[in-house]
Every structure is written in C-alpha cells, then in structure tokens.
Amino acid sequence: MATDPDPAIPTRLPEAPRWRGPGAVVAAAYLLVAAAAGWYLLTQLAVVLRPLLVAVFLAYVLLPYHSRLRKRVGSPVSIGLLAGATAGGLALLALAVYAGVTGLNEEVPLLKGRAKVLVADADRLASHYAPWLSSAAERGRGLDERLAERVARAVPPMINGAADALLEAGVVGLYLLFLLLEAARFPARVRGAYPPRRADEILHLAGQINSSVVSYLKAKVKASLVLAAPAGLVLVAFGVHFAPLWAILTFLCNFVPYVGSVIAYSLPVGFAFLQYGFVWEPVTVAVLLLATHVISATMVEPTILGRAVGLSPLVILAALAFWGLLWSLPGMVLAVPLTCVAVIVMGQFEATRPLARMMSGE
C-alpha cells in the first residue's frame, strides 16, 4: 500500500555547485588582450592622439568665448580668431622653449667645466666640514666626469622635445579649428541620432565633462601663472641665465601634480649653482624659489583650485604613473583631466558607479 512521502524528507538531493572556472579564465584572457591592444594602440598613435586631446581640452576652454564672440563678428571669424590665436600662442611658447634650449646647448662645454669645478668645490667643503664625506668622495673617483657627461646628455633630448612641441602646436591648431566648427552642430547631431531621452542623457554627460574640465584648466592656468611669474622674477633679479626658459618650464610643470614641482625647482636651482658655484647668489635663489613653491602649494593653489579636481590623491599618483609611462611628460600633463573625464563617464553607469565614487576625492 503506497504511502505519501514525508514532506520533511527531501525527495531530491540538491545539485552540486558547478565550477565556472573556464568562463572566468576566458573573461580574464579577453580583458588582458584588450588591455594589451589598448596599450599598443595608445603607444603607436601617440603622435595623433596627444595633439587631439590637447585640442579637445583647449576647445572646452574656448567654447564659452566662442559663444560670446560669434554674436559680434560671426561664427567663421570667431573660429578663425580663436584657433589662430591659440595655435600662435602655443607656437610662440614652443619657440621660446626651443630658443632657450638651443642657447643652453651652446653652453654645454662651459657647463661641463662648471660641473667639474662644482664637484671640486663640494669636495673641498666636505673635507673641511665633514671629512667622512670627503673620504667617500675619494672612493667614488670620477664623479665630476660623470656629472659633466650627464649635463651634456640632458640637453639634446630637451632640444628634440622642444622641436616636437613646435610641430605639435601647428597640429593642435588644425584640430582645434575643426573642433570649434563642429561644436555648434554637436547638440543637433546628437538629437538627430538618438531618441529624445537618450539624447538628453548624452548632452547632460557632455555638459558635466565640460564643466569639470573647464573649471580644472582655468584654475590650474591661474595657479601656474601665480607660481611662474615670481619664480621668473627671482631668476631675472639674480641674473640666472635662461630665466624665461625656467619660468616657462615652471608654468608647464605645475600642471603635473607633485612631480612637476620637484622638476620646476630642481632644474633652475641646479643651473644657478652651475653658473655661480657655492656662493651666496645661488643659495639665495634656492631659498626664494623654495619659499615661492611652498607658498603656492600650501596657500595659493588650494585657494584657486578648491575642489576643481575632485580626485583622490592616490588616484592622481596612479594616473601620473600610467600616463607618464605611456606618453612621458605630455602624458603627465594630460593625466588629471583625462582621469576626471573617466570618473565622470564611469559615474553614469550602474556597474562602474561604485568605482567612480572610490576614485573621487569625496
């Protein structure tokens, strides 16, 4: 006689969990291949992408001025004026750097001799005030020759970089011209290509990116000018050679967080010691420039920037390492605005929103 099964006793054993290892391995492999392909493309297309990104960020800054100027002189004239003035300014900046580096290259033999004298003076000071340092210097003979060779090797890459920057300035101006031409048509093109709701979302995202990039670039330009102007005046007042070159370098390096300030301080101070030796002039220059950088980093720049960046300091350092390894110094200049854009875009998607919140400075 059949009996009903006891409901407390399971009639079917639960299935064993299936191992999903191969799927995870395949996904990881796809991710690695995509990352390697992206790295390769970014490296190979650097000559095209670098000036394009610079033009995009400059277009963000110029669009408000273009909107006001085209009401007075018309859109074509406004575009021509803004693109021409921007390209001309970049070309003049690159020419000034190129002229300064070329002049610096002509002084390389003199600088090599000054480096040897500087090492000899340092050895004499060490033997008088710290004999243990002097004995260490004796064990490391040839330091003056190595320093002189490093000074000589540092100049040719700077000349090549300045020449490349001069060429890229023209490419940036060309890109900027077309970007400004298409900027006015962008909202209409988006609304014609997408449904109204999706078009509003895309335009809202573009507005957020625009606001973030413009606020950062404007604040950073002001902070860099406030730092570079007094630094240049100090160098001119003490007769340090190539003071305009060091002032421009200070302005540009200030766009690179943390690392840029070290470069902008070390190079002019080191050159001042090469020029004068261990006397009071370079020491005074070093103290005044250090005070200028400290005041800018602790008082001026936080006041001007405020929360214009909105990124965690650890994220900024990681972005500097990644873009610096990829595109060297130009990549480090572009690292912060590119990361700001990436965080804004990731914040629009549910899957990446937590990561965007972790990367922000909130």
Side-chain angles (χ1 to χ4, degrees):
M1 187 173 180
T3 58
D4 294 334
D6 189 353
I9 301 174
T11 58
R12 203 162 99 184
L13 293 176
E15 294 183 3
R18 295 180 180 178
W19 182 59
R20 303 184 183 273
V25 171
V26 171
Y30 282 141
L31 183 61
L32 288 175
V33 171
W39 181 273
Y40 177 78
L41 290 176
L42 287 173
T43 304
Q44 297 300 313
L45 299 178
V47 178
V48 177
L49 292 178
R50 274 203 312 259
L52 177 60
L53 290 174
V54 172
V56 168
F57 291 134
L58 289 176
Y60 276 122
V61 177
L62 294 178
L63 279 176
Y65 302 101
H66 172 55
S67 300
R68 292 195 294 265
L69 188 59
R70 69 180 178 180
K71 296 178 182 178
R72 299 183 180 181
V73 298
S75 183
V77 177
S78 173
I79 290 172
L81 288 175
L82 291 175
T86 304
L90 291 175
L92 287 176
L93 192 66
L95 276 174
V97 174
Y98 184 77
V101 175
T102 304
L104 186 62
N105 186 46
E106 295 175 357
E107 291 196 8
V108 165
L110 177 61
L111 292 176
K112 292 175 69 173
R114 293 297 305 165
K116 295 179 180 180
V117 173
L118 190 66
V119 171
D121 291 344
D123 185 53
R124 282 196 297 270
L125 289 174
S127 62
H128 186 270
Y129 294 102
W132 59 275
L133 283 177
S134 179
S135 60
E138 284 294 329
R139 291 192 300 269
R141 287 175 296 179
L143 178 62
D144 53 351
E145 292 291 341
R146 292 197 299 270
L147 181 59
E149 289 301 322
R150 288 182 181 179
V151 169
R153 286 199 304 265
V155 177
M158 295 175 66
I159 294 178
N160 295 333
D164 293 340
L166 183 60
L167 179 62
E168 286 193 8
V171 180
V172 167
L174 184 63
Y175 282 148
L176 187 60
L177 179 64
F178 287 100
L179 287 172
L180 292 177
L181 282 171
E182 288 295 323
R185 306 172 191 170
F186 179 72
R189 290 181 184 275
V190 172
R191 296 190 183 280
Y194 294 95
R197 183 175 179 181
R198 183 59 178 166
D200 290 338
E201 292 176 355
I202 293 174
L203 293 176
H204 177 68
L205 176 61
Q208 282 187 311
I209 294 174
N210 185 18
S211 176
S212 176
V213 172
V214 167
S215 63
Y216 168 75
L217 290 178
K218 285 185 175 180
K220 200 64 179 177
V221 167
K222 292 178 182 178
S224 300
L225 284 175
V226 170
L227 173 63
L233 289 176
V234 167
L235 295 172
V236 170
F238 285 87
V240 178
H241 294 172
F242 311 109
L245 174 63
W246 307 127
I248 294 172
L249 184 69
T250 301
F251 174 81
L252 295 176
C253 286
N254 196 53
F255 283 85
V256 181
Y258 311 127
V259 181
S261 297
V262 176
I263 298 173
Y265 175 78
S266 302
L267 288 181
V269 169
F271 187 84
F273 276 101
L274 281 177
Q275 179 179 337
Y276 288 107
F278 287 104
V279 292
W280 67 272
E281 287 94 341
V283 175
T284 308
V285 167
V287 172
L288 292 178
L289 286 184
L290 180 61
T292 303
H293 280 271
V294 169
I295 293 173
S296 175
T298 58
M299 298 174 60
V300 177
E301 192 156 337
T303 302
I304 296 176
L305 280 176
R307 295 190 57 80
V309 179
L311 293 176
S312 167
L314 184 61
V315 173
I316 293 177
L317 286 175
L320 287 175
F322 174 80
W323 291 105
L325 182 62
L326 186 65
W327 288 345
S328 64
L329 185 59
M332 298 177 76
V333 173
L334 295 170
V336 173
L338 284 175
T339 309
C340 288
V341 172
V343 169
I344 293 172
V345 173
M346 287 191 298
Q348 303 301 310
F349 301 98
E350 190 67 31
T352 56
R353 193 168 295 149
L355 180 59
R357 290 175 179 171
M358 290 177 61
M359 293 174 66
S360 66
E362 300 176 359

